[in-house]
Amino acid sequence: MNPLYNFLQTIDNLVWGPPLLLLLVGTGVYLTIRLGLIQIRYLPLALGYLFKGNKNSKADGDVSSFAALCTALSATIGTGNIVGVATAIKLGGPGALFWMWLAALFGMATKYAECLLAVKYREVDANGQMLGGPMYYIEKGTGQKWLARMFAVFALGVACFGIGTFPQANAIVDAAYLSFEIPREITVVVLTILVAVVTLGGVQSIAKVASKVVPFMAVFYIIACVIVLGSQYSAIPEAIQLVIQSAFTGHAATGGFVGAGIMLAIQSGIARGVFSNESGLGSAPMAAAAAKTDSCVEQGLISMTGTFFDTIIICTMTGLTLVVTGAWQSDYAGAAMTSYAFASGLDSSFIGPMMVTIGLMFFAFTTILGWNYYGERCITYLFGVKAILPYKIFFLVLIAAGAFMKLDMIWLIADIVNGLMAIPNLIGLILLREVIVTETREFFQKLTPPPANLQTA
């Protein structure tokens, strides 16, 4: 075994051990209780705000609330929805999907809280663009500048060495080669040029592309999953039962599956779920801060739908497809497992993999765009607007390099920096819990009586 890989594996196990899992889920549970099940009671209202848009055209911000959400979704709907779900189920069995659901349910409250704070504490940079995110609400809300800088450094690491570059570039290059036999070098050049063209235009350019591509790619992939699940509809109840049962009992080895205990199902489900929807990481608030809105609560509600779309809908579609087709028991892993599931479900060794490949390439490309913007916000916080152009050039170099890295190493690096990024953000949310509750209570008092469980203490 590679000594570097073993070392990174040890670090990953420490970062994603019980303390961080408890902090992630515990923060979501706490906010869910304090906010009176806001993610369940007010999901219809949030969806209404999303599609209605902000009526105040003069509200502060760079892009519409819908475009801001699409920018956030462009970063979250990525390889985690295809490769991440397959990896979680391969490691933890079908039960991992249940823990992804649970993490997403509580994660919606976390996403609401962090995006509310992003709008409340945002400011304008030297170029006239909105700045916001955990580094700003931690510094301005708690006064802990060291914690804010810690978040910015870790988030920059995620953008450059985690979700934003290596996994996405590698996925696109492999998909193009395996499905279309396009040489990796050609794909790298085209990908780098496309990323440069879009990202050099700033947040408006990224949001414009995201607001068109994200809805299309999500609908495209969901339809593909529905076709597969429709062809296997009789197996769906049994698959759901297997997911729930395996979550609490583990699963013995069958076929190509190596078997998994309960703890492995929990760890892989939550870790991959967080990789997919990014609730608690502090990434989405950086996009939410750019939204044209005059209400931090309204934007928080809109932003929390991102976790709902990403995990409750898209990841569930992928997970059930893997289970009903039996692909999770195969010898395949990652994107190859999902391709095998679609090939089996559609009874076609060509159409199935093509649908996965197209979806994967769209997902990965938009994730690169979203994380390029997040990294830009972090570099601006740390060094000012003068550092934006050098950062973007460095980012493009990393895109090209990431295409040739080994998959196992890529996922390990991404997991480690993800976990490190979440820690200061979650601490900030806990320190600012009363601000979150107060803003929420005041908003809902203007509409209806506040939730009964919206506590004051």
Side-chain angles (χ1 to χ4, degrees):
M1 291 292 288
N2 188 328
L4 177 59
Y5 180 87
N6 289 339
F7 174 74
L8 291 175
Q9 183 71 65
T10 302
I11 298 298
D12 185 50
N13 290 336
L14 289 173
V15 171
W16 283 102
L20 179 56
L21 296 181
L22 288 173
L23 182 61
L24 271 167
V25 178
T27 301
V29 171
Y30 175 81
L31 290 170
T32 295
I33 296 172
R34 289 294 307 273
L35 298 172
L37 299 175
I38 193 169
Q39 69 269 54
I40 297 174
R41 299 182 63 189
Y42 291 100
L43 180 59
L45 179 65
L47 293 171
Y49 285 144
L50 170 62
F51 295 110
K52 179 188 66 175
N54 194 305
K55 294 181 180 179
N56 184 2
S57 59
K58 296 182 180 180
D60 293 334
D62 299 322
V63 297
S64 68
S65 291
F66 178 76
L69 176 64
C70 285
T71 302
L73 283 174
S74 71
T76 56
I77 299 179
T79 56
N81 299 83
I82 296 177
V83 180
V85 175
T87 304
I89 292 178
K90 187 71 175 181
L91 290 173
L97 183 60
F98 174 86
W99 297 108
M100 290 182 76
W101 292 340
L102 195 66
L105 175 64
F106 295 121
M108 288 177 70
T110 306
K111 183 71 69 73
Y112 163 80
E114 56 189 1
C115 291
L116 177 157
L117 292 173
V119 174
K120 179 175 176 59
Y121 290 103
R122 65 185 179 179
E123 58 186 54
V124 182
D125 69 13
N127 292 333
Q129 292 188 332
M130 283 294 178
L131 289 174
M135 51 279 198
Y136 292 94
Y137 60 69
I138 291 173
E139 179 180 344
K140 297 170 69 175
T142 72
Q144 304 297 323
K145 189 172 183 177
W146 66 273
L147 191 63
R149 294 184 70 84
M150 181 188 295
F151 171 85
V153 170
F154 289 150
L156 188 60
V158 175
C160 293
F161 306 107
I163 298 174
T165 52
F166 298 156
Q168 317 304 331
N170 187 272
I172 291 174
V173 169
D174 280 353
Y177 179 75
L178 294 173
S179 298
F180 305 108
E181 297 185 352
I182 299 175
R184 287 178 166 82
E185 293 78 8
I186 293 178
T187 304
V188 167
V189 172
V190 173
L191 174 62
T192 304
I193 292 173
L194 288 175
V195 172
V197 169
V198 177
T199 57
L200 291 176
V203 65
Q204 286 87 359
S205 176
I206 294 173
K208 184 177 181 180
V209 173
S211 60
K212 289 180 172 57
V213 175
V214 169
F216 165 77
M217 71 179 186
V219 171
F220 170 83
Y221 187 70
I222 289 172
I223 290 174
C225 290
V226 167
I227 294 174
V228 174
L229 293 174
S231 67
Q232 307 279 337
Y233 70 92
S234 61
I236 293 177
E238 184 179 348
I240 295 175
Q241 181 180 357
L242 179 63
V243 167
I244 297 173
Q245 181 180 1
S246 298
F248 298 98
T249 62
H251 205 284
T254 54
F257 178 60
V258 297
I262 299 174
M263 191 57 207
L264 188 55
I266 295 173
Q267 184 174 358
S268 59
I270 293 177
R272 290 291 180 261
V274 171
F275 182 93
S276 175
N277 62 57
E278 299 178 17
S279 294
L281 291 190
S283 53
M286 290 183 272
K292 289 183 178 179
T293 181
D294 47 15
S295 171
C296 60
V297 172
E298 187 172 313
Q299 186 57 42
L301 290 169
I302 292 173
S303 295
M304 81 175 184
T305 64
T307 300
F308 175 77
F309 289 128
D310 179 271
T311 304
I312 304 298
I313 295 181
I314 298 179
C315 286
T316 296
M317 291 285 190
T318 301
L320 289 179
T321 298
L322 295 172
V323 176
V324 299
T325 59
W328 69 279
Q329 296 173 299
S330 70
D331 293 321
Y332 295 103
M337 181 195 292
T338 310
S339 293
Y340 175 76
F342 275 79
S344 301
L346 296 174
D347 195 24
S348 170
S349 59
F350 175 76
I351 296 178
M354 282 299 103
M355 298 179 84
V356 173
T357 298
I358 293 171
L360 182 63
M361 293 176 75
F362 271 117
F363 284 12
F365 177 68
T366 56
T367 297
I368 291 172
L369 300 184
W371 270 97
N372 176 276
Y373 175 70
Y374 293 159
E376 178 186 323
R377 296 297 85 187
C378 292
I379 205 77
T380 302
Y381 174 80
L382 292 170
F383 304 109
V385 296
K386 64 182 182 296
I388 292 177
L389 184 58
Y391 156 75
K392 288 189 174 183
I393 294 173
F394 180 62
F395 187 90
L396 293 174
V397 172
L398 291 173
I399 291 294
F404 301 98
M405 292 185 66
K406 292 184 178 180
L407 187 63
D408 289 345
M409 193 76 74
I410 285 172
W411 282 102
L412 268 180
I413 294 172
D415 265 356
I416 291 170
V417 289
N418 284 359
L420 293 175
M421 175 182 172
I423 295 171
N425 180 54
L426 293 169
I427 293 173
L429 292 180
I430 294 171
L431 293 175
L432 292 169
R433 61 192 182 279
E434 297 304 330
V435 176
I436 298 167
V437 173
T438 300
E439 289 287 344
T440 305
R441 187 189 314 111
E442 291 177 354
F443 176 84
F444 283 109
Q445 282 176 339
K446 299 175 184 177
L447 299 179
T448 58
N453 292 330
L454 204 56
Q455 304 173 13
T456 59

